[in-house]
């Protein structure tokens, strides 16, 4: 400090709230004896106008340069007193409030003498800290009211539309050659007759036509710099090789020599290396799969409009955004080969594959053909990949698979009344609004429900497939021959997450999804400011929940964008470079990714991004050399309070 | 002819390593000897205490004192040297913060004597003899200075001008400090000289091998790991106190694949070395479950000995506060 | 232990949970002993073990470090860091001869004013029985 600290102590009566228990006169006299205290005053209500005048007067006329207000909790009036100080020309962070109401008068009213002694001690501690306070400035960032949305599924689409409708610009980045995500692949939406594609078509159209949304398909996010208010992102648009001149004449498909499994149908059908991603692909043109394509050029020869360019190069895209919405979805649980016979027989399918089979516009035109024919006996094994039922399974419940499976079972009974269905379940969780009805309907139909405690096994033999299960209700072992086994697999964390996390500083929850700031109170925000999480990126969700999450992130992002400047509290961590050894211990301490290690010549030093620092101080306590400190809570400042618990006068 | 500056060197409770460190200056020692007049150096020269007592106050330019103040004689000597010297330098870990002998502060003097003279398993003391303050032998009284209640760093007994860290200080650090001393370009009083202002990681060749986040799930003792010489020892689960320890030694131990034990002491902004070292070490144990945490911490048989190996006497509490109950 | 010994206990209270609980105790007029001197930190993760030792050195007979419940930390996981540090610190304090009842790490949420009062009463009783620490800081042979 260049100047000597002159502390003004202001003790409030708060009417009788404090004065009724504490001997305020004694306290004020005591305060006058403390080192560096230039004057001490009392007033009935320090927060009132005359009370604030006392403080302002002290600053302007008596040269007070540190203010200690002994009164109620800072949660009540800290801003009031800070404002009063600022009006008088003193930095508002040179204030230390001492809580003598909630923490003394109100809780020790039966021990007035001891309460007064405690009050003196608290003020002594407050003064000791105030002497060492330093002026602080709020940090401000210009807000860029544009959002980057990563992922073009339900969550990302909903978020983009909501933001665009509010007038904010959106850059939507999608890895695949089309937006739509996985929901478009649903055969029928529960409680309706329409397919996922039909459900989402209006949304896809709206996104494509909205002038505030720029969509980049075939693109991936490669690098992000900056922080809330001003993110600088680099995305890469990978070549599609086909441009808007494409008329979908399909001549290219006819001549393409390469055939691969179609991922859209989860491997149940084949497509060529040049293909239309799906019926409602947006943009509505062909795409070339760069991995499958052998660059033979046959398609180019037959393309009349000249829409194909096999020399197309990747393009770098630079985007500046004030906030990021991550909506990269999930990956369906992929059973390892052999789990419940998966991969060992074409009679064993996943729930996602079943959806494709039941889609009237799917690979079998809606006909449930498994291994060539309509199955007479279908066994659904529920909870596959969830509830820890196998070694490879996740421990959590995947939420959407019960309703989804029941929906499909009922559909099958409607389409194929002669087919017998067994549903083997560890638990049935039809929690949502109309989903219990599905369960009722299912039990009323001919579906046979078998509860298991011990995980069933699937036997793939020469003759066919059978499922063994111990019925926990009947306490009997059953062997069920099956023409089809449907594994009701759940949602697992997306396989894209490691790439996402290498680009954006977000952490993982124990289950492997991206971790939200607070699982109940802040479910769509990442801990770091300006990063929002929509949809299954944080946990399994059905379409409704995903849609809600998308809207929620748009609302959160709007709150951010509506501020012209983003203000950061100044009590942030700061590193003194001359003392920093670059040991990097602090970096892992920060849940917000606010600290990074930079190189200075050949050495390393820690660096704090003030826009991200939330001022918890965890890095400060960990810093082994004391180079990292927290403004307003420096070691010296807190230790001054600690030393002052003792009556010993420490002098200046 | 201008007089050469007078230098005195003295050892209190010391292992002798700091004396050897001065000798480690090797050829440079001849330069030193040429530039100064050594008036007192019990390990190497024949001057007696009374020779120093006869010198005028303040006539010694600098006294380098190593070892901690353990017995009354040490107290007498450092106070005397303080009077006679312009500058007093705490040389080495023991005089600066207590050093290894300060770990004795975890016990009272009765316990220390009892352990050394009655309990150690290799003892051969059938008469149960133990040191006495005085004894008559053939008409002469021999005296032993009694133990002080605790070992003290010299700055808890006298005013200290500078500190040279290390156990012992390396030849380079000693030479840097002596150069500064002789050139007269000294930092503010109370500073540590000859070494770095930053923690050891700044000088350590393994610092750049650290991943973005330094986190461990387990603690290992040196005999349990053959460390990969290209990776930071901390990330391999070893208790390397480099991040909390002042640099200056050029990471000698780490280069020999041994984790730093902290002999260059704390950085300037740290109040209690052991607490800070324990804080950072605990911080990087990446466990949330209290039981799992206790299991890992159990692997440290002697946390006080580990984190306060060289600095116990200078710590907040200075030693045990058990009181008179044993 | 004389009847007149009143332990001095320092509380490091995290701003969002424990400090708020102390405020709630105030507004609810819950009575607890006046032995506690509160030092506010933004998060229990800010509490440096050096603070705990300095508190003892300066006359504290007990130290209470309190923060949000695991999983509820306002700053995500600051309290876990406090847990790690205080766990290790407690081992060392035992060796220093400071009885384990003198240092407590507690999770006190913003609504747990009554719980704070219970802990407060308990700590005062236990430390009264142990006696003052300050005289033991003066070391005799």
């Amino acid at each position: 400090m260049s100047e000597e600290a002159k502390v003004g102590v202001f003790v409030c009566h708060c009417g009788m709230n404090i004065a009724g228990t504490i001997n305020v006169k004694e306290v004020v006299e005591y305060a006058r004896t403390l080192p560096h205290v230039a004057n001490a005053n009392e007033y009935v209500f320090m927060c009132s106008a005359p009370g604030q005048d006392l403080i302002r007067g002290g600053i302007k006329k008596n040269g007070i340069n540190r203010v200690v207000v002994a009164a109620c909790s800072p949660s009540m009036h800290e801003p009031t007193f800070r404002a009063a100080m600022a009006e008088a020309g003193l930095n508002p962070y040179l204030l230390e409030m001492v809580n003598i109401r909630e923490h003394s008068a109100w809780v020790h009213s039966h021990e007035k003498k001891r309460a007064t002694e405690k009050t003196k001690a608290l003020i002594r501690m407050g003064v000791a800290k105030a002497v060492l306070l330093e002026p602080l400035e709020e940090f401000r960032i210009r807000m860029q009211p544009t959002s980057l949305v990563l992922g073009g599924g339900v969550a990302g689409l909903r978020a983009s539309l909501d933001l665009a409708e509010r007038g904010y610009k959106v850059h939507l980045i999608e890895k695949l050659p089309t937006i739509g995500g996985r929901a478009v692949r649903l055969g029928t939406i529960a409680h309706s007759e329409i397919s996922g594609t039909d459900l989402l078509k209006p949304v896809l159209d709206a996104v494509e036509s909205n002038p505030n949304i720029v969509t980049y398909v075939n693109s991936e996010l490669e690098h992000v710099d900056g922080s809330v208010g001003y993110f600088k992102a680099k995305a890469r648009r990978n070549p599609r090789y086909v441009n808007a001149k494409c008329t979908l004449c399909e001549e290219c498909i006819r001549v393409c020599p390469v055939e691969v499994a179609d991922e859209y149908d989860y491997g149940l059908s084949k497509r060529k290396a040049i293909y239309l991603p799906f019926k409602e692909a947006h943009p509505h043109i062909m795409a070339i799969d760069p991995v499958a394509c052998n660059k033979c050029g046959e398609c180019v020869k037959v393309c009349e409009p000249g829409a194909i360019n096999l020399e197309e190069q990747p393009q770098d895209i630079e985007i500046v955004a004030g906030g990021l919405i991550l909506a990269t979805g999930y990956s369906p649980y992929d059973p390892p080969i052999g789990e419940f016979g998966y991969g060992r027989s074409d009679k064993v399918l996943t729930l996602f594959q079943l959806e494709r089979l039941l889609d009237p516009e799917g690979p079998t035109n809606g006909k449930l053909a498994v291994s060539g024919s309509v199955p007479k006996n279908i066994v659904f094994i529920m909870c596959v990949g969830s509830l820890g039922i196998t070694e490879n399974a996740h421990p959590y419940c995947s939420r959407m698979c019960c309703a989804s499976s029941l929906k499909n079972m009922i559909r099958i009974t409607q389409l194929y009344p002669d087919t017998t269905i067994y549903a083997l379940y560890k638990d049935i969780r039809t929690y949502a609004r109309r989903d219990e009805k599905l369960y009722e309907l299912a039990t009323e139909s001919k579906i046979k429900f078998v509860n298991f405690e011990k995980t069933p096994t699937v036997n793939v033999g020469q003759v066919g497939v059978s499922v063994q299960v111990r019925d926990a209700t009947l306490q009997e072992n059953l062997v069920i021959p099956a023409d089809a086994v449907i594994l009701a697999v759940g949602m697992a964390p997306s396989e894209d997450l490691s790439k996402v996390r290498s680009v954006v500083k977000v952490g993982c929850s124990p289950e492997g999804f991206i971790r939200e700031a607070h699982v109940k109170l802040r479910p769509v925000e990442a801990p770091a400011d300006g990063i929002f999480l929509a949809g299954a990126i944080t946990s399994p969700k059905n379409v409704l929940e995903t849609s809600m999450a998308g809207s929620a992130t748009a609302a959160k992002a709007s709150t951010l964008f509506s501020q012209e400047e983003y203000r950061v509290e100044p009590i942030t961590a700061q590193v003194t470079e001359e003392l920093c050894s670059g040991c990097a211990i602090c970096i892992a301490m920060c849940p917000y990714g606010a600290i990074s290690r930079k190189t200075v010549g050949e050495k390393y030093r820690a660096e704090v991004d003030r826009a991200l620092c939330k001022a918890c101080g965890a890095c400060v306590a960990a810093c082994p050399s004391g180079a990292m400190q927290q403004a307003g809570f420096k070691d010296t400042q807190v230790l001054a309070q600690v030393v002052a618990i003792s009556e010993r006068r420490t002098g200046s | 002819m201008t007089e050469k500056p007078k230098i005195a060197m003295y050892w209190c409770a010391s292992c002798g390593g700091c004396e050897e460190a001065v000798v480690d200056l090797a050829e440079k020692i001849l330069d030193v000897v040429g530039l100064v007049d050594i008036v007192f150096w019990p390990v190497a020269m024949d001057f007696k205490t009374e020779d120093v007592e006869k010198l005028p106050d303040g006539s010694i330019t600098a006294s380098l004192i190593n070892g901690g103040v353990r017995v009354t004689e040490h107290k007498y000597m450092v106070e005397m040297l303080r009077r006679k010297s312009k500058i007093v330098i705490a040389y080495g870990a023991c005089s600066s913060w207590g050093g290894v002998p300060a770990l004795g502060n975890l016990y009272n003097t009765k316990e220390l004597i009892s352990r050394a003279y009655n309990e150690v398993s290799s003892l051969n003391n059938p008469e149960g003899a133990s040191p006495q303050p005085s004894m008559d032998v053939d008409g002469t009284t021999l005296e032993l200075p009694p133990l002080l209640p605790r070992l003290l760093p010299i700055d808890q007994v006298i005013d200290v001008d500078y500190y040279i860290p290390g156990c012992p200080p390396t030849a380079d650090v000693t030479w840097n400090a002596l150069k500064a001393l002789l050139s007269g370009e000294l930092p503010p009083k109370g500073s540590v000289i000859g070494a770095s202002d930053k923690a050891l990681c700044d000088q350590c060749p393994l610092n750049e091998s650290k991943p973005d986040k330094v986190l461990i799930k387990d603690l290992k003792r040196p005999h349990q790991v053959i460390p990969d010489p290209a990776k930071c020892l901390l990330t391999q689960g070893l208790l390397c106190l480099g991040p909390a320890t002042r640099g200056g030694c050029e990471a000698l131990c780490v280069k020999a694949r041994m984790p730093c034990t902290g002999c260059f002491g704390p950085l300037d902004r740290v109040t209690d070395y052991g607490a800070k070292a324990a804080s950072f070490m605990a911080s990087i144990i990446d466990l949330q479950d209290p039981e799992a945490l206790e299991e890992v911490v159990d692997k440290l048989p002697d946390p006080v000995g580990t984190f306060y190996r060289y600095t116990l006497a200078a710590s907040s509490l200075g030693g045990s506060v058990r009181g008179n109950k044993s | 232990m004389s009847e007149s010994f009143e332990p001095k206990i320092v509380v490091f209270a995290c701003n969002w949970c424990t400090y708020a609980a102390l405020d709630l105790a105030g507004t609810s007029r819950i009575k607890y002993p006046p032995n506690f001197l509160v030092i506010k930190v933004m998060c229990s993760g800010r509490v440096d073990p050096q603070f705990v030792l300095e508190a003892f050195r300066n006359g504290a007979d007990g130290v209470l470090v309190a923060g949000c419940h695991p999983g509820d930390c306002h700053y995500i996981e600051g309290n876990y860091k406090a847990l790690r540090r205080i766990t290790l610190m407690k081992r060392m304090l035992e060796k220093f001869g400071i009885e384990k009842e003198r240092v407590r790490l507690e999770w006190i949420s913003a609504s747990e004013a009554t719980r704070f009062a219970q802990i407060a009463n308990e700590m005062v009783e236990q430390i009264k029985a142990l006696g003052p620490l300050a005289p033991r800081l003066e070391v005799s042979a």
Side-chain angles (χ1 to χ4, degrees):
Chain A
M1 274 174 315
S2 46
E3 28 127 56
E4 216 210 287
K6 286 175 74 171
V7 182
V9 178
F10 300 89
V11 185
C12 184
H13 290 222
C14 195
M16 287 307 281
N17 283 307
I18 293 175
T21 300
I22 309 292
N23 186 330
V24 177
K25 280 226 168 346
E26 208 182 291
V27 166
V28 171
E29 264 169 41
Y30 177 74
R32 289 197 181 110
T33 67
L34 295 170
H36 294 278
V37 171
N39 59 34
N41 295 302
E42 58 183 289
Y43 193 66
V44 199
F45 290 105
M46 206 54 83
C47 53
S48 66
Q52 293 183 50
D53 277 337
L54 259 181
I55 297 176
R56 284 191 282 258
I59 295 168
K60 287 196 220 161
K61 291 189 229 128
N62 302 336
I64 296 298
N65 57 26
R66 301 286 183 281
V67 173
V68 172
V69 176
C72 51
S73 169
S75 63
M76 306 275 342
H77 283 299
E78 192 171 62
T80 313
F81 297 121
R82 288 209 202 279
M85 288 163 68
E87 280 159 33
L90 188 62
N91 185 287
Y93 291 91
L94 295 172
L95 166 72
E96 183 66 17
M97 282 201 69
V98 179
N99 186 335
I100 63 172
R101 189 182 72 173
E102 283 85 336
H103 291 189
S104 189
W106 274 353
V107 287
H108 307 313
S109 51
H110 58 302
E111 289 185 276
K112 297 194 161 89
K113 196 156 186 337
R114 290 185 67 196
T116 302
E117 289 309 303
K118 172 173 165 174
T119 301
K120 289 181 193 169
L122 289 172
I123 291 177
R124 183 175 67 233
M125 290 158 69
V127 169
K129 180 169 176 188
V131 168
L132 297 178
L133 287 173
E134 292 157 338
L136 301 174
E137 298 300 326
E138 263 180 358
F139 185 59
R140 289 159 197 224
I141 308 165
R142 272 238 81 115
M143 178 57 61
Q144 194 69 25
T146 305
S147 182
L148 184 154
V149 177
L150 185 64
V154 172
L157 295 171
R158 183 75 266 154
S160 301
L161 273 176
D162 283 10
L163 278 170
E165 279 161 23
R166 282 194 189 101
Y168 296 116
K169 292 240 176 317
V170 177
H171 295 272
L172 174 57
I173 301 181
E174 167 56 52
K175 191 175 78 161
L176 296 178
T178 174
I179 49 176
R182 292 190 195 271
V184 291
R185 304 186 214 177
L186 291 170
T188 44
I189 298 295
H191 311 291
S192 77
E193 293 293 313
I194 60 173
S195 69
T197 298
D198 289 340
L199 177 75
L200 289 176
K201 178 173 162 42
V203 177
L204 300 174
D205 288 340
V207 167
E208 193 168 62
S209 60
N210 192 305
N212 277 335
I213 305 176
V214 181
T215 308
Y216 308 88
V217 292
N218 288 92
S219 301
E220 289 186 65
L221 189 60
E222 295 294 329
H223 189 78
V224 176
D225 268 331
S227 47
V228 57
Y230 200 86
F231 286 101
K232 273 177 48 180
K234 266 203 191 58
R236 164 158 297 189
R237 182 169 23 218
N238 295 311
R240 192 197 186 97
Y241 305 107
V242 179
N243 62 37
K245 293 197 193 126
C246 169
T247 57
L248 290 174
C249 65
E250 297 195 6
E251 281 298 295
C252 50
I253 295 184
R254 190 178 52 80
V255 303
C256 177
V258 178
E259 209 178 49
V260 291
D262 190 350
E263 65 281 331
Y264 187 85
D265 287 330
Y266 294 101
L268 290 178
S269 61
K270 293 216 185 307
R271 60 160 172 80
K272 294 293 180 76
I274 187 164
Y275 65 110
L276 179 68
F278 74 108
K279 177 184 91 153
E280 282 299 331
H282 282 57
H284 206 58
I285 54 175
M286 297 291 180
I288 293 182
D289 173 355
V291 173
C293 172
N294 63 12
K295 299 267 176 100
C296 67
E298 291 300 310
C299 52
V300 183
K301 292 182 194 154
V302 302
C303 180
E304 237 193 77
I308 303 177
N309 172 16
L310 293 178
E311 304 306 308
E312 189 186 327
Q313 293 302 309
Q315 233 192 330
D316 280 337
I317 310 161
E318 301 219 347
I319 298 169
V320 171
L324 308 177
I325 297 178
L326 306 179
T328 50
Y330 64 94
S331 290
Y333 173 75
D334 195 25
I337 304 287
E339 189 171 276
F340 301 113
Y342 187 66
R344 293 261 155 81
S345 163
D346 61 358
K347 295 191 171 142
V348 179
L349 302 172
T350 68
L351 181 62
F352 289 82
Q353 289 170 320
L354 179 64
E355 291 278 350
R356 297 312 307 130
L357 292 178
L358 292 177
D359 183 348
E361 297 188 311
T364 54
N365 293 315
K367 180 170 174 208
L368 182 60
V370 176
S371 194
S373 54
V374 175
K376 286 252 170 285
N377 273 344
I378 307 180
V379 179
F380 276 76
I381 304 182
M382 314 285 286
C383 313
V384 172
S386 307
L387 294 181
I389 67 168
T390 55
E391 208 189 300
N392 207 47
H394 297 281
Y396 53 82
C397 161
S398 199
R399 211 171 165 90
M400 32 56 76
C401 3
C402 274
S404 218
S405 301
L406 288 169
K407 163 201 84 179
N408 284 320
M409 287 180 217
I410 290 165
R411 183 123 188 88
I412 294 173
T413 59
Q414 290 164 348
L415 293 172
Y416 304 100
D418 292 332
T419 297
T420 314
I421 302 179
Y422 283 84
L424 314 188
Y425 67 97
K426 187 155 166 103
D427 207 344
I428 298 279
R429 297 180 182 183
T430 43
Y431 60 90
R433 199 171 121 215
R434 288 176 290 174
D435 289 350
E436 187 60 20
K437 260 249 163 297
L438 286 175
Y439 183 50
E440 274 177 34
L441 255 177
T443 50
E444 282 160 20
S445 66
K446 288 186 291 185
I447 299 172
K448 300 176 198 305
F449 283 88
V450 178
N451 180 216
F452 67 81
E453 278 159 5
K454 189 161 166 297
T455 306
T457 52
V458 174
N459 198 313
V460 176
Q462 297 282 24
V463 203
V465 177
S466 70
V467 182
Q468 281 113 296
V469 61
R470 181 168 179 79
D471 186 327
T473 319
L474 297 175
Q475 290 289 302
E476 268 186 35
N477 293 327
L478 305 175
V479 178
I480 312 164
D483 303 312
V485 177
I486 308 294
L487 306 178
V489 298
M491 294 181 170
S494 161
E495 38 187 41
D496 294 329
L497 283 188
S498 56
K499 171 91 192 259
V500 171
R501 288 185 62 206
S502 70
V503 177
V504 183
K505 281 183 192 168
V506 284
C508 263
S509 65
E511 296 83 15
F513 292 91
I514 298 296
R515 207 224 324 233
E516 59 277 86
H518 192 283
V519 74
K520 293 200 197 231
L521 299 178
R522 296 179 64 201
V524 296
E525 300 165 83
D529 275 353
I531 302 179
F532 307 101
L533 308 168
I537 190 177
T538 53
S539 63
K541 292 182 176 60
N542 60 30
V543 173
L544 160 65
E545 290 154 352
T546 303
S547 187
M548 287 199 317
S551 287
T553 54
K556 287 279 179 186
S558 301
T559 311
L560 196 61
F561 298 153
S562 62
Q563 303 163 49
E564 259 187 41
E565 274 181 339
Y566 187 70
R567 284 153 161 230
V568 176
E569 268 249 55
I571 50 170
T572 48
Q574 37 192 219
V575 61
T576 303
E577 270 188 40
E578 297 79 62
L579 299 174
C580 174
S581 69
C583 71
I585 298 293
C586 51
I587 298 175
M589 294 295 109
C590 182
Y592 305 103
I595 313 179
S596 51
R597 199 160 76 142
K598 66 173 181 186
T599 42
V600 176
E602 282 183 7
K603 301 286 186 179
Y604 292 95
R605 301 286 174 255
E607 192 176 39
V608 180
D609 183 340
R610 288 192 67 185
L612 291 177
C613 172
K614 304 304 278 174
C616 68
C619 56
V620 182
C623 175
S625 56
M628 185 72 80
Q629 293 294 333
Q630 178 181 7
F633 290 89
K634 291 185 167 181
D635 282 346
T636 46
Q637 293 163 339
V638 179
L639 282 172
Q641 284 179 291
V642 174
V643 170
I645 66 175
S646 150
E647 284 249 40
R648 251 183 297 140
R649 298 292 175 189
T650 45
S652 59
Chain B
M1 185 179 83
T2 40
E3 252 185 43
K4 287 193 270 184
K6 293 188 172 59
I7 301 283
M9 287 183 277
Y10 182 68
W11 53 355
C12 303
S14 152
C15 67
C18 285
E19 308 290 355
E20 289 191 32
V22 175
V23 172
D24 266 351
L25 287 170
E27 319 80 65
K28 293 202 182 77
I29 203 174
L30 299 170
D31 295 336
V32 177
V33 164
L35 289 167
V36 303
D37 208 2
I38 301 179
V39 298
F40 189 58
W41 193 9
V43 78
M45 301 171 90
D46 208 25
F47 298 104
K48 306 294 181 205
T49 301
E50 51 223 21
D51 297 328
V52 185
E53 278 165 347
K54 288 192 191 119
L55 293 171
D57 281 2
S59 59
I60 300 177
T61 305
S63 284
L64 278 77
I65 305 179
N66 73 74
V69 174
R70 180 76 256 193
V71 296
T72 53
E73 177 175 1
H74 297 150
K75 184 166 187 289
Y76 172 78
M77 289 301 296
V78 306
E79 283 173 347
M80 196 261 290
L81 285 167
R82 175 73 267 182
R83 281 197 305 279
K84 304 294 175 188
S85 312
K86 289 202 188 61
I87 294 175
V88 169
I89 300 177
Y91 186 77
C94 294
S95 57
S96 300
W97 321 292
V100 174
L103 290 173
N105 287 1
L106 289 173
Y107 307 94
N108 64 40
T109 53
K110 281 199 185 48
E111 287 168 323
L112 290 174
I113 302 279
S114 174
R115 176 99 178 130
Y117 291 91
N118 293 336
E119 297 165 32
V120 171
S121 51
S122 57
L123 216 46
N124 182 15
N125 185 10
E127 286 141 45
S130 74
Q132 301 302 316
S134 69
M135 181 173 153
D136 279 320
V137 180
D138 297 338
T140 320
T141 307
L142 297 174
E143 287 178 349
L144 269 181
L147 292 171
L148 293 170
R150 274 188 178 167
L151 182 145
L152 302 170
I154 63 172
D155 68 6
Q156 287 184 24
V157 181
I158 56 170
D159 203 25
V160 170
D161 296 282
Y162 299 103
Y163 302 80
I164 299 178
C167 178
T170 59
D172 281 340
V173 164
T174 306
W175 183 237
N176 288 338
L178 285 176
K179 267 196 297 191
L181 185 67
L182 294 172
S183 72
E185 279 167 30
L186 286 163
K189 186 175 144 166
S191 300
V192 173
I193 58 176
S196 167
D197 287 333
K198 302 184 169 64
L200 185 58
C201 297
D202 185 59
Q203 298 184 325
C204 179
L206 301 181
N207 194 26
E208 66 176 334
S209 75
K210 282 178 172 142
D212 278 339
K213 292 192 180 187
V214 177
L215 289 167
I216 55 177
K217 289 252 198 256
D218 198 10
L219 288 173
K220 297 217 164 41
R221 313 270 305 284
H223 64 275
Q224 294 172 321
V225 184
I226 296 183
D228 179 346
K231 284 195 337 195
C232 164
L233 298 181
L234 199 58
T235 58
Q236 297 183 57
L238 289 167
L239 273 159
C240 183
L241 300 182
T245 307
R246 186 179 294 270
C249 59
E250 302 290 334
L252 283 175
C253 298
V254 176
K255 284 175 184 160
R257 298 200 221 174
M258 281 299 287
C260 167
T261 53
C263 80
F264 265 54
L267 281 312
D268 289 329
R269 291 220 180 141
V270 170
T271 307
D272 182 311
Y273 177 91
K276 233 355 174 160
S279 184
F280 99 77
M281 191 59 73
S283 300
I284 62 173
I285 301 175
D286 193 17
L287 294 168
Q288 324 262 54
D289 172 44
E291 269 177 40
L293 188 58
E294 298 271 349
E295 265 180 46
V296 171
V297 170
D298 276 340
K299 294 189 179 179
L300 261 184
D302 180 13
V304 171
T306 305
F307 295 112
Y308 285 101
R309 183 172 293 179
Y310 304 94
T311 57
L312 187 62
S315 68
S316 289
L317 297 175
S320 169
V321 293
R322 257 178 299 136
N324 285 324
K325 24 184 178 155
S326 50
Chain C
M1 300 97 6
S2 71
E3 285 305 316
S4 63
F5 164 55
E6 286 295 343
K8 186 182 280 188
I9 303 175
V10 175
V11 185
F12 290 98
C14 90
N15 183 59
W16 304 95
C17 280
T18 307
Y19 196 94
L22 291 170
D23 281 354
L24 180 61
T27 45
S28 312
R29 311 294 195 277
I30 295 175
K31 296 193 184 3
Y32 58 87
N35 303 65
F36 295 84
L37 297 174
V38 177
I39 294 181
K40 182 176 97 161
V41 286
M42 294 312 288
C43 176
S44 54
R46 174 71 189 90
V47 178
D48 191 319
Q50 292 182 108
F51 299 163
V52 177
L53 287 172
E54 279 294 293
F56 286 123
R57 187 171 79 91
N58 282 283
D61 300 293
V63 174
L64 171 63
V65 178
C68 311
H69 286 263
D72 282 344
C73 176
H74 183 87
Y75 301 102
I76 322 296
E77 48 182 41
N79 50 3
Y80 286 117
K81 285 148 197 156
L83 173 67
R84 298 171 203 168
R85 294 167 190 146
I86 302 296
T87 300
L88 186 50
M89 183 92 254
K90 279 194 193 171
R91 298 287 177 101
M92 304 210 295
L93 288 171
E94 261 181 88
K95 201 65 201 267
F96 276 113
I98 292 183
E99 301 92 332
K100 56 185 192 312
E101 292 84 355
R102 295 187 187 269
V103 185
R104 278 172 82 148
L105 174 66
E106 294 286 346
W107 308 127
I108 301 175
S109 80
S111 61
E112 292 183 301
T114 327
R115 184 148 170 272
F116 170 77
Q118 275 170 351
I119 293 170
N121 280 308
E122 207 176 85
M123 263 190 106
V124 169
E125 285 314 303
Q126 286 178 337
I127 297 177
K128 264 191 180 163
L130 293 173
L133 187 60
R136 285 155 48 179
L137 296 175
E138 324 279 316
V139 172
S140 57

